Amino acid sequence: MSQRMTDALHDVHTATNDVLKGYREMSARAEPEIQTVLARLIAMHEKHAAEHVAELKLLRESVQDDSSIQGTVNKVVVILRDWLTDLDRDVLPAVRDGEEALRNEYGKALQNEQVAANAAVAQMLRAQMDAITTEIARLPKN
């Protein structure tokens, strides 16, 4: 299996875990009015992360803590924002921006020739990207 293909899958998995870190922190601090949205996004990304892990294991890849400094940055931003203002509907455009950035990571992975050549991985990533696109459409732009 190509290292570039597994690297692309790890990159998507890392970006997903980073988003999850921020959303989990936000959920712990958010106003009740956005809890449903956060719960829905967390559940979707946890499902996607589990699918990434399963695929990486099939590819005999290590799935040690695939996260990055960005996950910590996401948590810190949430904490700082909570200190300065309420985490209510006004944060949803920022959530949308995060979802769009994550969708871009999927797009990059799907442009990788080795990913495109692996039907199972490409299909999984396309289905996940479609689910993210659906959620983006549900989030306010401003």
Side-chain angles (χ1 to χ4, degrees), residues 42-63:
I42 289 168
M44 176 184 70
H45 291 306
E46 285 176 341
K47 177 181 179 283
H48 292 172
E51 291 170 352
H52 302 156
V53 168
E55 194 62 44
L56 286 164
K57 285 182 179 178
L58 283 174
L59 298 170
R60 302 192 190 296
E61 275 292 303
S62 170
V63 286

Side-chain angles (χ1 to χ4, degrees), residues 67-92:
S67 61
S68 71
I69 190 71
Q70 185 62 46
T72 302
V73 169
N74 292 346
K75 285 178 69 171
V76 169
V77 167
V78 168
I79 292 166
L80 291 173
R81 187 163 186 161
D82 184 40
W83 287 348
L84 300 173
T85 185
D86 291 333
L87 294 176
D88 56 15
R89 295 195 69 72
D90 292 341
V91 302
L92 293 180

